[in-house]
Amino acid sequence: MRDYDNIIHTGLTGRLLLENSLLNKGTAFSMEERSELELHGLLPPKIESLEEQCRRAYKAFSVKPTPILKHIYLRSLQDTNETLFYALIQRHLQEMLSIIYTPVVGQACQRFSDLYRRPRGLYIAYQERDRMRSMLANFKRNIEVIVVTDGERILGLGDQGIGGMGICIGKLSLYSAVGGIAPNQTLPILLDTGTNNENLLKDPNYLGWRHERIGDDEYYAFVDMFIQALKHRWPNALLQFEDFAINHATPLLEKYHNELCCFNDDIQGTAGVAAATLLAASKSGGKSIEDMRVAFLGAGSAGCGIAEQIVRLMVGKGLSEEQARTRIFMVDRDGLAHNQMTGLRPFQHKLAQTYNRIASWSDGGSVTLEDVVTHAKPDAIIGVSGQPGLFTRSIVKKMAENHERPIIFPLSNPISQVEALPDDIIHWTKGRALIATGSPFEPVLYQGQSYPIAQCNNIYIFPGLGLGILASGATRVSDNMLDAAVQTLATSSPALTTPDALLLPSMKHIQQVTTHIALSVAVQAQKDGLADPCDRSEMEHRIRERQWSPVYRRMRMAHS
């Protein structure tokens, strides 16, 4: 871990110090600190260790009766004492991940205006666009990682307007808790371009810009103003695009990926973890990725991003790009994408099947997922539709008829939007399916055997990607760097040695896996000429030095 200065010198005293979440130690301030920093009388007399504080905080967390109240408690703790917040999260990550992020964060986004308590992050509204540079300039900290959203496509919930800030806060919490990125060097940003959510527009408590979303011309000009202001203020920061709508996500990534160090987590992060999980499942099932056929339900930016990542894996195993694309089947609301279909977006065209190949798969109408399963016999089906129940009993049973170990990934979240419940999939396939989900699920008990369900969570990719980028000083995010992360995660799968084990590592090993991914990403950045060269041991040292840990440092008053 990075050895920060043992002594922090602060110009704050008394209540101002206690109100600074990055410096506040609460009851852990020593008697000497309380004297020097004028804290006597502002704290209970007992002096606690961080471990004692964690036990007390966990007890308070545990008695909250509902997940959303647990979320509110943790957010309040984060706003009060960030060191304690992260120490608590690290000790109980498996339990608290679903509370601070998917699926409970979705409820928090829906109720963001009602739950709002204290400011965190930066809100840049369209009507204040002329003040954008001064807004960034007024934020005095040295920022290294930014998560930005416009709130238009939050999880499976759609347009949540300003509520999208909850996603950015949650993602950056995981950068710090898992990747060891110092929280004072992260910044969540909400680009408020209005909302088309009628409920929000009518809600008198809504805190965002009460206006319909702006048109594309104004939108792209506004985002470009932000990107240019960001490059001026923090030219070396890593920017993560988060939860942008399908019609904006890919164009923004394509426009800016060579202009600054950035990536889109919904396209590339989701693609990375899903592809790594598929790679692990294929090996566990005794198959090679290049021999597989994969069908998708959902042909949006996330689904197509996963598909493109799988194509790269197949090409890396010796297939031509054309051969690899014939093994991918993209099914959306209008049926299987083919080259005579109108209305396809540019990124969907590349994944469309030839019409002559699939014309006989239906009775003249669109080709459904069930038609694809019947005729193409895919080894895996991946759900990113955002629509519940679409992996039907009939489809799943056909998958089990076609393959001894069918691979079935219902990845939509939150749980209310999942394509099929793991319990149903296990029963319909008599325990033979290899499953990963987007939301967390308890193990399924079937005929006396417990089947653990892997959560295909982006947490396995983006913290390690970010850490590797910062440690290496990479100036861009390349496809090769993402491929390196995928391969490293896949080789960490417990299922490679124990067939019925989880397809992804346990959360108790997530920090170790993250460090391995960071190293592979950093080394690849060097190979791609995007980072200054150094030997492997030096890069390992840089990564360790980069990793912040939630421990208290001694504090003294700064004297001029």
Side-chain angles (χ1 to χ4, degrees):
M1 295 292 183
R2 183 173 177 177
D3 184 17
Y4 283 77
D5 291 340
N6 289 325
I7 299 177
I8 296 175
H9 292 87
T10 177
L12 300 177
T13 60
R15 187 165 296 280
L16 288 177
L17 180 57
L18 297 178
E19 290 175 355
N20 186 307
S21 65
L22 289 166
L23 298 178
N24 182 24
K25 296 164 64 172
T27 55
F29 280 108
S30 68
M31 192 61 66
E32 181 182 0
E33 289 172 323
R34 294 181 189 207
S35 296
E36 183 165 0
L37 301 170
E38 302 173 4
L39 295 172
H40 284 297
L42 298 178
L43 294 165
K46 181 180 180 181
I47 297 173
E48 292 183 301
S49 66
L50 179 57
E51 196 61 44
E52 288 174 318
Q53 287 181 318
C54 282
R55 287 197 294 268
R56 184 163 50 83
Y58 182 69
K59 182 177 180 181
F61 168 85
S62 299
V63 299
K64 300 300 179 186
T66 64
I68 190 63
L69 289 177
K70 292 178 186 289
H71 177 93
I72 293 169
Y73 172 76
L74 291 176
R75 283 284 290 108
S76 177
L77 184 61
Q78 184 180 18
D79 287 338
T80 305
N81 183 335
E82 297 206 36
T83 301
L84 176 55
F85 168 78
Y86 285 109
L88 181 67
I89 293 297
Q90 287 188 349
R91 285 160 174 76
H92 304 281
L93 183 62
Q94 181 76 51
E95 179 180 1
M96 294 183 177
L97 178 59
S98 64
I99 302 297
I100 62 173
Y101 200 63
T102 304
V104 181
V105 72
Q107 299 176 45
C109 290
Q110 290 176 303
R111 298 175 56 186
F112 185 83
S113 294
D114 294 331
L115 300 178
Y116 181 84
R117 296 294 183 272
R118 296 183 63 176
R120 177 173 289 270
L122 201 59
Y123 300 83
I124 303 177
Y126 180 72
Q127 73 271 33
E128 296 184 282
R129 58 195 179 278
D130 293 337
R131 297 190 180 98
M132 193 179 298
R133 291 213 171 197
S134 64
M135 290 180 187
L136 296 180
N138 289 339
F139 209 91
K140 302 302 183 184
R141 299 205 302 264
N142 177 37
I143 298 301
E144 294 190 321
V145 180
I146 294 167
V147 177
V148 63
T149 188
D150 65 359
E152 190 170 3
R153 192 206 64 83
I154 300 300
L155 301 175
L157 303 173
D159 188 346
Q160 297 302 316
I162 204 172
M165 177 59 90
I167 294 291
C168 299
I169 293 171
K171 278 288 173 75
L172 287 171
S173 297
L174 298 177
Y175 266 111
S176 297
V178 176
I181 310 299
N184 65 314
Q185 295 175 333
T186 69
L187 178 63
I189 296 180
L190 189 287
L191 300 179
D192 190 354
T193 59
T195 178
N196 293 332
N197 185 326
E198 288 296 326
N199 291 331
L200 296 179
L201 291 172
K202 295 175 182 177
D203 183 357
N205 294 326
Y206 180 58
L207 293 174
W209 183 36
R210 199 181 302 275
H211 192 282
E212 292 183 354
R213 288 190 176 271
I214 58 178
D216 277 355
D217 290 344
E218 296 87 355
Y219 178 88
Y220 286 116
F222 176 62
V223 173
D224 193 66
M225 286 180 65
F226 165 69
I227 295 294
Q228 303 315 318
L230 178 65
K231 288 167 59 180
H232 181 265
R233 179 67 180 90
W234 296 297
N236 299 318
L238 169 63
L239 178 66
Q240 175 177 314
F241 290 105
E242 186 71 31
D243 285 341
F244 284 77
I246 181 176
N247 55 314
H248 293 145
T250 301
L252 289 175
L253 181 62
E254 290 178 347
K255 181 174 182 180
Y256 294 113
H257 79 281
N258 284 325
E259 192 170 325
L260 75 164
C261 191
C262 67
F263 73 102
N264 184 303
D265 191 47
D266 304 295
I267 299 174
Q268 295 163 293
T270 299
V273 69
T277 311
L278 180 65
L279 192 57
S282 66
K283 292 179 179 178
S284 176
K287 296 181 178 180
S288 298
I289 190 72
E290 67 272 22
D291 295 328
M292 295 179 66
R293 295 174 300 280
V294 184
F296 287 81
L297 186 61
S301 55
C304 290
I306 299 170
E308 292 291 351
Q309 180 68 62
I310 294 170
V311 167
R312 289 207 303 274
L313 288 176
M314 291 177 170
V315 170
K317 290 292 187 178
L319 295 186
S320 68
E321 184 174 336
E322 182 180 0
Q323 289 173 324
R325 292 185 183 280
T326 64
R327 294 179 170 276
I328 304 295
F329 303 87
M330 308 301 301
V331 181
D332 215 341
R333 62 173 58 90
D334 295 322
L336 176 62
H338 58 78
N339 60 356
Q340 292 187 21
M341 184 178 286
T342 59
L344 292 179
R345 300 179 186 276
F347 62 86
Q348 295 170 323
H349 270 294
K350 296 187 295 182
L351 293 162
Q353 292 286 323
T354 59
Y355 179 73
N356 289 341
R357 180 186 182 190
I358 57 92
S360 63
W361 291 5
S362 72
D363 296 328
S366 61
V367 176
T368 66
L369 177 63
E370 188 157 4
D371 293 330
V372 172
V373 170
T374 299
H375 294 277
K377 294 181 171 55
D379 303 81
I381 54 174
I382 299 176
V384 281
S385 67
Q387 300 297 317
L390 297 186
F391 284 177
T392 63
R393 178 189 179 99
S394 175
I395 288 173
V396 171
K397 287 182 76 66
K398 274 191 174 68
M399 288 289 296
E401 291 171 5
N402 294 337
H403 303 282
E404 179 62 27
R405 299 301 305 272
I407 299 170
I408 301 174
F409 292 177
L411 299 185
S412 290
N413 55 42
I415 290 172
S416 60
Q417 307 303 115
V418 71
E419 285 83 7
L421 296 173
D423 187 87
D424 288 334
I425 296 172
I426 290 293
H427 282 79
W428 293 339
T429 63
K430 298 181 179 179
R432 292 191 282 117
L434 293 163
I435 304 172
T437 57
S439 293
F441 284 90
E442 293 296 320
V444 174
L445 186 64
Y446 174 72
Q447 293 187 349
Q449 183 173 344
S450 179
Y451 294 84
I453 306 300
Q455 185 187 1
C456 198
N457 192 314
N458 292 15
I459 192 176
Y460 286 103
I461 289 288
F462 69 82
L465 181 64
L467 179 59
I469 288 168
L470 296 185
S472 66
T475 57
R476 298 290 184 270
V477 181
S478 69
D479 286 344
N480 289 336
M481 291 159 65
L482 291 161
D483 292 346
V486 169
Q487 295 288 353
T488 302
L489 178 56
T491 58
S492 302
S493 170
L496 298 185
T497 54
T498 307
D500 289 325
L502 282 166
L503 291 175
L504 291 168
S506 165
M507 281 295 152
K508 66 183 179 181
H509 301 304
I510 186 66
Q511 288 172 308
Q512 180 182 359
V513 172
T514 294
T515 301
H516 291 160
I517 289 174
L519 180 59
S520 66
V521 167
V523 169
Q524 187 61 54
Q526 293 175 322
K527 292 178 180 178
D528 290 346
L530 298 173
D532 292 335
C534 68
D535 62 35
R536 189 179 183 90
S537 61
E538 171 61 22
M539 186 58 71
E540 290 174 345
H541 175 71
R542 289 185 188 182
I543 290 171
R544 287 194 300 270
E545 285 290 293
R546 269 279 173 187
Q547 290 180 294
W548 171 86
S549 59
V551 296
Y552 289 134
R553 278 84 184 177
R554 187 178 175 189
M555 202 169 295
R556 285 183 174 177
M557 183 63 187
H559 298 287
S560 58

